[in-house]
């Protein structure tokens, strides 16, 4: 993974219009017979409807996939997705859902290896998204937040790629990859590509965050784990 010269400042600006917060509980406990008493703390399977935090393996498990109401001033200009070194923020929670135009995945249903899913961000009502635009630091493929009221397009769809061929379901604390359906690239980050004052400006809203991007192959830069979150079971 060869570093590239530091590009010009991505010129990030805060988005002054912050969407109304979505209640995490009302989002996670969707219609379908799931209630607060069904929150599963001990099972291993990661399930649909769960609100989880994705931890990045290569950076030591200390950074979490995150999004906030700020937009890039370069590239697509869509909502920023990055990785933060703070595990207590609600902005790093993502709700796991069925992919675009796919039959609803009932809350509490284990997610299969190879299944197509969306990751929706409850704080901003955007979906984890990628497309053929270069990312500002690594010059790989940009990752952003996209859509309205958690509805977007096929650029929001990802395939769960489990590391072991013997695994049937996505399990907590096991490393896995997310492959973008439209472009076949993998969600990634690297501790080499961090937003700083020199590459992001003095008022950078994502100072010390890692850049989220997509890479062409699955490797240790594309490994994530799910441990923390509100895990649902039927």
């Amino acid at each position: 993974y060869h570093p590239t010269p530091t590009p010009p400042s991505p010129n990030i600006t805060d988005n002054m219009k912050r969407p109304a917060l979505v209640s995490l509980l009302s989002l996670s406990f969707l219609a379908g017979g799931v209630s607060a008493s069904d929150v599963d703390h001990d099972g291993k399977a990661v399930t649909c409807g769960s609100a989880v935090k994705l931890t990045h393996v290569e950076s030591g498990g200390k950074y979490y996939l995150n999004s906030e109401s700020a937009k890039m001033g370069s590239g697509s200009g869509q909502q920023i997705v990055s990785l933060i070194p703070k595990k207590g923020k609600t902005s790093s929670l993502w709700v796991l859902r069925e992919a675009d135009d796919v039959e609803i995945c009932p809350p509490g249903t284990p997610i299969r290896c190879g299944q197509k899913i969306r990751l929706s961000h409850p704080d901003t009502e955007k979906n984890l998204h990628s497309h053929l635009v270069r990312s500002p630091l690594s010059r790989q493929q940009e990752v952003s937040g996209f859509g309205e009221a958690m509805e977007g397009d096929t650029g929001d769809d990802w395939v769960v790629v489990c590391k072991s061929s013997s695994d049937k379901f996505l399990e907590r604390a096991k490393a896995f990859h997310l492959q973008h359906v439209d472009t076949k690239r993998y969600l990634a980050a690297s501790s080499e590509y961090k937003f700083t004052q020199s590459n992001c400006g003095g008022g950078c809203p994502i100072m010390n965050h890692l850049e989220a991007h997509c890479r062409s192959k699955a490797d240790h830069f594309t490994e994530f784990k799910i441990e923390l979150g509100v895990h649902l079971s039927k």
Side-chain angles (χ1 to χ4, degrees), residues 190-207:
S190 170
S191 52
E192 295 180 31
Y193 297 111
K194 180 183 291 187
F195 290 99
T196 64
Q197 184 170 342
S198 63
N199 64 31
C200 189
C204 180
I206 53 172
M207 189 78 74

Side-chain angles (χ1 to χ4, degrees), residues 98 102-107:
E98 66 283 347
V102 173
E103 184 177 348
I104 290 176
C105 183

Side-chain angles (χ1 to χ4, degrees), residues 12-15 67-72 78-81 205-206:
I12 298 168
T13 56
D14 284 308
N15 179 16
S67 192
E68 297 179 35
S69 295
K71 293 185 177 181
M72 295 295 295
Q78 293 177 0
Q79 183 169 296
I80 295 170
V81 173
I206 53 172

